[in-house]
Amino acid sequence: MRHPMKGAAPEMKVAPEPAAPQTAAPEAGKHRDIIDGARRVFFDKGFDGASMDEIARASQVSKATIYVYFSSKEELFQALVETDRRKSAERLFEFDPDDKDVESLLKRIGMTFMTMMVQPDHIRLIRMVIGAAEKFPAVGRTFFETGPCHGGRRLAELLGRQTELGHLKVDDREMAAFQFFNLCQGNLVKGLMFGTGQQPSPDEIAKTVDGAVRVFLAAYGISRN
């Protein structure tokens, strides 16, 4: 039987280092709460009618807490616009860029795009941005860059990939992307914007998108005959 050597130091067990305090998640949650509260107030009161006091109540935080994250109502609205446009872009471009059925692919993108475009909250957001952009141009630029421009660039990438695969023939891909989105809108969005149109049905949206795809493929499709 072996005996431990005299004078040998007892084995030390090293305790694991304490985990770093997790502050990111609560901070992100607070930021999200403020954005969500602001969305409710802006959509209910409009940009000019919304106050930071009301937003604080809707967010269940103090007004001082809001100013930790946002220096002004304009900056908060700008952050709301950016958040909503980013979420919309993520939903719009959930597709396989290598899909061989380009007609079906374009119809899915068009239907998703138009279903979002005609939502009452989206129409209200556009109106608010237009109303605020003259006094606060940064709000308009944010909406334009994170909405139409970002969407156009993403679709341009898809059109480029479909051109590489031999399914389309597109030279100016970004121009073609904006043409497609404008074709999909037809007159539906303008009617809602100016209060002259009723909420379009899924069949009406599908009819407009189908027409847009036909026109687009007539210009950029490759005949298989």
Side-chain angles (χ1 to χ4, degrees):
M1 181 175 179
R2 294 186 178 181
H3 297 280
M5 294 178 61
K6 292 183 178 180
E11 183 180 355
M12 299 289 292
K13 292 185 178 180
V14 180
E17 292 185 6
Q22 297 184 4
T23 58
E27 292 297 316
K30 189 75 70 176
H31 183 279
R32 184 174 58 250
D33 290 343
I34 295 171
I35 292 288
D36 290 343
R39 183 183 296 105
R40 291 192 293 273
V41 175
F42 280 127
F43 283 175
D44 182 45
K45 304 286 186 179
F47 177 79
D48 288 330
S51 71
M52 293 298 255
D53 287 321
E54 290 174 306
I55 292 171
R57 285 195 294 271
S59 307
Q60 296 186 331
V61 299
S62 68
K63 190 161 72 169
T65 298
I66 293 180
Y67 282 113
V68 169
Y69 293 89
F70 305 101
S71 62
S72 64
K73 184 174 77 169
E74 295 74 38
E75 184 179 312
L76 174 53
F77 184 61
Q78 191 172 340
L80 166 63
V81 168
E82 188 171 356
T83 299
D84 282 6
R85 295 304 84 214
R86 185 171 59 249
K87 289 179 180 178
S88 296
E90 290 171 359
R91 290 195 300 269
L92 179 59
F93 290 101
E94 293 175 348
F95 55 74
D96 178 6
D98 293 339
D99 194 329
K100 295 180 181 179
D101 189 348
V102 65
E103 181 178 356
S104 176
L105 177 59
L106 289 172
K107 285 182 179 180
R108 291 200 306 273
I109 293 173
M111 285 297 295
T112 304
F113 170 69
M114 281 304 297
T115 300
M116 291 189 299
M117 287 292 292
V118 301
Q119 291 300 310
D121 279 352
H122 184 258
I123 297 298
R124 279 197 288 269
L125 180 61
I126 296 175
R127 289 172 177 163
M128 277 193 286
V129 169
I130 292 173
E134 185 172 355
K135 189 175 181 181
F136 305 105
V139 172
R141 286 195 298 269
T142 296
F143 182 90
F144 189 63
E145 284 295 326
T146 58
C149 288
H150 178 68
R153 287 190 292 267
R154 290 290 304 276
L155 182 56
E157 293 173 5
L158 169 70
L159 299 179
R161 180 58 181 158
Q162 288 291 321
T163 297
E164 292 170 1
L165 293 171
H167 302 153
L168 294 173
K169 186 178 180 181
V170 182
D171 295 324
D172 191 330
R173 296 162 186 178
E174 199 159 303
M175 181 183 74
F178 289 120
Q179 288 173 338
F180 177 73
F181 283 139
N182 287 328
L183 285 168
C184 285
Q185 292 182 63
N187 222 28
L188 298 179
V189 176
K190 288 181 181 177
L192 294 172
M193 281 288 300
F194 294 106
T196 61
Q198 295 182 338
Q199 190 73 16
S201 68
D203 287 343
E204 289 175 310
I205 294 173
K207 181 180 178 181
T208 303
V209 170
D210 287 350
V213 172
R214 283 197 304 273
V215 172
F216 188 83
L217 291 179
Y220 297 110
I222 294 178
S223 176
R224 299 301 180 186
N225 296 334

